Every structure is written in C-alpha cells, then in structure tokens.
Amino acid sequence: MTLHPSTLHLPAELPWAPRAALAQPIPKQVNWQFETSWASSEAELREAQRLRYTIFVDEMGARLAPFAGTPAGLDADHFDRFCDHLLVRVKELGSDGPGQLVGTYRVLGPEAARRAGGCYSEHEFDLAPLAALRGGAVELGRACVHADWRSGGVILSLWSELGKYMVERGLHTMFGCASIGMGDGGLLARRVWTQLRDSPYLVRPELQIRPLTPLPSGGEETVAASGRAAMLREMPPLIKGYLRCGAKVVGPPSFDRGFNTADLPIMMQLADLPARYSKQFLARR
C-alpha cells in the first residue's frame, strides 16, 4: 500500500508538483499495455532508483540523504539490496522490447528484514505491537508511479503481482505507509487522521503503533459526523482505495522531514480482502 519510504508506501493523495517528463513519452492515443516483472539485475535496480529520484526529488522536492557509492540522480538506501523490486512497464501493443518503466514497489520479506537488521518503517514507528505478525508480513515501500501514468491500470498491475508474490510465499500481511504531502502545513494530514482515529478503519488498540516523530501541532480539525460513506468520499483517493480493499490504519501518521510528508501507517491482511478483490489479486497463476 507508498509512495515513498518503505511500507505500504502506497502513493496517497499528494499535492504533486509539475510533472517530470519521461525521456520518450508514449502518446496516449496509441494502444498500450502494462507488463510487470521483478528486477533481476543491477541495471534494472538502477532504473527503479532513477524513477524514484525523478518523482521524490524532482517532482515532490524531497531532500534525500546521500547513500554511499550511489551515483547522482538515484534514490538509494541501505534496504534496497535486501528488497525485491517490482517493476511495471508500459509499451505500445505488439511492440518489441521491455517498454518504459512507469511504476515500482520494493518489497521487504520477513527473512530479508532479519538480514537487513529490521524494517525501514522502524525509523518512523515503534512496531512492537506488530511483533506477532512480522513472521508472515512484508513491508512495502518506495512505491511510486510516474505522473503521466497514475491510472487504475498501473495500480492494478502492481497489486495483482503483489498478490501472486504473497500467495506463492505463504505470507498473510502487508504493511506500509500512505504518504500525504505537508505543503499545506499538515492540514489535510491532520484532517484525515481525525476522520480515521475513531472509525472502524482503525485496528484494535493492541495493534496500534506509535509514531516516533508525530505531526507538528496545528490544532484539532473538526469533522462532521456524516457517516462512513461520506467520510470515504472525503478521503484522498488512494487511501480510500486501500480502505475499500479491507486495509486498516495502524495508528497516527509520522512526520518525515526529508520527504516533507505525513506517513499514515496502513496494514492489509489477505484474509480481510473482500471477495471481489480476493478473486482478482489472489488467484493462483
């Protein structure tokens, strides 16, 4: 479920800056298709890191700490070498070649997390309440989709391949963050949390986690008690999509100063997927 740091970094509603153009954009009037794969070479990993840099730095204005040995123009950190990197490419129907990379997720499984010394999200949250789930859980992170291709097709391609990944490995839980831009001083992020903290979409108290860096104070946001359907209509689209798929919010958002985002922790357990999504995402290939 991020765009950006770790966990579900499922792209949430963000105040996207002007679009950074693809090197050779594909005209929308042609027939195109999406293809998913997992990075299998250093070159493909670099390609994913370059797309991440384009979106997080050039588009969103993130201030990323340099990582030793990484060339300029790439977003990289300690966790990349432990993760599996999911790629989505787009190309004209019937054309040869791999197509252009337009979306990526990185996936940190339980064994990989042990080798890495933990999860990325432990930089932002105290994950102790989730200890019992960690053996069957993956952390999704650095999720991003190029601005020209933020469509249902790319997201569906990502989630379909993630479902296959989970089923094949006998895993049951995905967790991560939905990032909300802080360009408005945190107004939207605080309003979203105010809507969710007393809703059925918050996990039970014993699973709730604590942010290590809470959002800057900005006063309480008032939200009309207008019912669950109205609340969902007001949610950022991607967060709304996660909740409709059965995801739960795991606690208050954490403030990521480098990315200038509020990172809302979200968890999805495959057993909670509604039947229509379970059939689509978890069918064995």
Side-chain angles (χ1 to χ4, degrees), residues 164-186:
K164 176 183 176 182
Y165 182 98
M166 299 287 288
V167 168
E168 288 179 346
R169 289 159 177 78
L171 302 168
H172 52 67
T173 300
M174 296 178 276
F175 69 97
C177 295
S179 301
I180 304 170
M182 292 283 287
D184 60 359

Side-chain angles (χ1 to χ4, degrees), residues 66-139:
F67 186 63
T70 301
L74 302 180
D75 164 42
D77 68 8
H78 161 76
F79 291 92
D80 273 335
R81 65 190 180 97
F82 298 98
C83 292
D84 294 320
H85 298 266
L86 176 57
L87 312 174
V88 177
R89 299 180 184 277
V90 64
K91 67 177 184 179
E92 187 174 353
L93 192 64
S95 64
D96 295 327
Q100 294 178 341
L101 183 67
V102 294
T104 184
Y105 258 117
R106 73 177 187 187
V107 182
L108 186 68
E111 180 55 37
R114 284 189 284 272
R115 296 197 309 271
C119 294
Y120 178 97
S121 52
E122 289 178 281
H123 293 264
E124 296 192 86
F125 298 93
D126 176 3
L127 299 183
L130 304 182
L133 300 175
R134 296 275 293 270
V138 299
E139 179 185 59

